[in-house]
Amino acid sequence: MNHPDDIRSQLLREATRQFAAHGVDGTSIQAIAEAVGVTRPTLVYHFGSKAGLRAAVLEGVVAHWRAALPGLLLAAASGGPRLDRLLGALFGFFQDDPNLARLIVRELLDQPEVLTALLRAQLTPWTAVLCEAVRSGQAEGQLQPGVDPEAFVSLMISAAVAVSALGQHAGALVSPEPGLHAQQAELVRVARAALLVPRRKEG
Amino acid sequence: MNHPDDIRSQLLREATRQFAAHGVDGTSIQAIAEAVGVTRPTLVYHFGSKAGLRAAVLEGVVAHWRAALPGLLLAAASGGPRLDRLLGALFGFFQDDPNLARLIVRELLDQPEVLTALLRAQLTPWTAVLCEAVRSGQAEGQLQPGVDPEAFVSLMISAAVAVSALGQHAGALVSPEPGLHAQQAELVRVARAALLVPRRKEG
DNA sequence: CCTACCGATCGGTAGG
DNA sequence: CCTACCGATCGGTAGG
């Protein structure tokens, strides 16, 4: 299902790869067609234009996101340390395909209105759930009262995407270089410490 | 000093702007030359090639960074809430020119080896100071022992750059939309909570 | 610093 | 799904 090998799907996958790696403007549709083994007019036949291909790639990314989200939130809800699971699942999502995070960052820079409009429609309901969860945790005294729920949630999304897309290179600025995994773990730890009211240690 | 208006400097400034906004591949040297009011061969005369212009732009960004760093660390060292000042100064640096953060993110995606080599040479000494400060704070019991200094520092750099470059758009995924300032403030709060050992409240 | 010119590559179309 | 062809734009050079 995820990897049908008809020409159109192959073109879509290859385009996602190359757009993520070199950017849309840095990729020729010729290169994508060649990699799949067809001619450029064939690609144009399937997607109408380079802009059409770009839109199809974005739709695919958003669809992937939307399909994965319920699973993420479910994992988070299934008892245990919720926050850790949620962030862990989010990282897992991006780690399965690091190109995805890069593509999102690129499109956020290149055409923010287009991508945010697509994403907003799909995941505002879910982020609203998260913000509400923070708020009720604060009301119950389990979460820090100083947290700004909306700012916190969008900050964590930014940070998770940024670490997934750029973490490997950002780590190179520090020595000894922390791996991607260490940075992800640190983000989870940081989020936890910032969110939870510390339990009193006894003794 | 910062804005000499000879042609070469004008071209450099305009290139920085357009590269940040549309990416190197999305910008023609023709458009840069036109914006400054000269012809394309004039630009090529000054920088040799588009690649030469790109390198000059990157060098300018790194020089800007390097010039600002001592001031940032000084502000941080001057008593008071050190962490807040340091992060605040870092955000101020990016806020003065939001294009800078975008350019860094783009080049980190397009040619990570080139940019990290440049940055690493300039700021590894400074990040080493920060890591050491975290370590000694841990030894004195003022900072959380669970923090991984290198991972924490590189995570904060990633997060600060990401919020500066993409925060405005990432905020649009949450409702009501938190402003850039709220996300910056939240990052400072989060960093603080994750780093400092909470003081016992009395009474 | 400009005019004039270059080959290469781009995205896209016609027609089958 | 391909061959053949298109105009436009790209970065860069020659020569002054």
Side-chain angles (χ1 to χ4, degrees), chain A residues 148-198:
Chain A
D148 173 341
E150 281 76 26
F152 182 81
V153 167
S154 76
L155 173 64
M156 284 300 139
I157 295 175
S158 290
V161 173
V163 167
S164 300
L166 317 166
Q168 200 169 351
H169 307 306
L173 303 181
V174 181
S175 176
E177 182 170 346
L180 188 57
H181 183 74
Q183 291 178 64
Q184 292 176 345
E186 191 66 19
L187 178 54
V188 172
R189 209 199 61 78
V190 163
R192 193 174 180 68
L195 197 57
L196 302 184
V197 169

Side-chain angles (χ1 to χ4, degrees), chain A:
Chain A
M1 287 287 214
N2 256 337
H3 297 276
D5 59 351
D6 55 288
I7 296 290
R8 197 193 129 97
S9 304
Q10 289 183 52
L11 287 168
L12 212 46
R13 257 204 316 284
E14 183 63 26
T16 305
R17 253 178 35 79
Q18 294 203 27
F19 285 171
H22 316 117
V24 172
D25 290 321
T27 304
S28 67
I29 57 176
Q30 167 85 352
I32 297 167
E34 263 177 16
V36 170
V38 297
T39 61
R40 187 177 66 260
T42 298
L43 184 153
V44 174
Y45 162 76
H46 280 293
F47 298 97
S49 67
K50 190 182 189 180
L53 174 60
R54 180 185 208 158
V57 165
L58 269 190
E59 281 166 30
V61 169
V62 172
H64 188 177
W65 244 116
R66 185 183 45 217
L69 257 178
L72 295 195
L73 294 187
L74 253 178
S78 66
R82 281 192 268 175
L83 179 67
D84 304 45
R85 281 171 186 262
L86 181 56
L87 274 174
L90 186 60
F91 280 133
F93 176 79
F94 284 123
Q95 218 164 11
D96 286 348
D97 188 353
N99 282 329
L100 229 67
R102 289 185 237 268
L103 188 73
I104 289 174
V105 170
R106 282 191 188 277
E107 291 292 28
L108 230 34
L109 289 170
D110 284 346
Q111 38 178 13
E113 339 69 33
V114 175
L115 182 53
T116 53
L118 273 173
L119 287 177
R120 205 208 295 247
Q122 297 301 336
L123 52 80
T124 295
W126 303 105
T127 57
V129 169
L130 294 178
C131 293
E132 196 41 51
V134 172
R135 249 182 255 284
S136 71
Q138 288 175 318
E140 294 170 17
Q142 298 162 351
L143 301 185
Q144 301 269 9
V147 173
D148 173 341
E150 281 76 26
F152 182 81
V153 167
S154 76
L155 173 64
M156 284 300 139
I157 295 175
S158 290
V161 173
V163 167
S164 300
L166 317 166
Q168 200 169 351
H169 307 306
L173 303 181
V174 181
S175 176
E177 182 170 346
L180 188 57
H181 183 74
Q183 291 178 64
Q184 292 176 345
E186 191 66 19
L187 178 54
V188 172
R189 209 199 61 78
V190 163
R192 193 174 180 68
L195 197 57
L196 302 184
V197 169
R199 301 198 175 184
R200 267 191 225 141
K201 285 192 182 170
E202 318 206 342

Side-chain angles (χ1 to χ4, degrees), chain B residues 2-39:
Chain B
N2 256 340
H3 296 277
D5 60 350
D6 55 289
I7 296 291
R8 196 193 131 96
S9 304
Q10 288 183 53
L11 286 168
L12 212 46
R13 259 204 315 283
E14 183 64 26
T16 305
R17 252 179 35 81
Q18 294 203 27
F19 285 172
H22 317 117
V24 172
D25 290 321
T27 305
S28 67
I29 57 176
Q30 167 85 351
I32 297 167
E34 262 177 17
V36 170
V38 296
T39 60

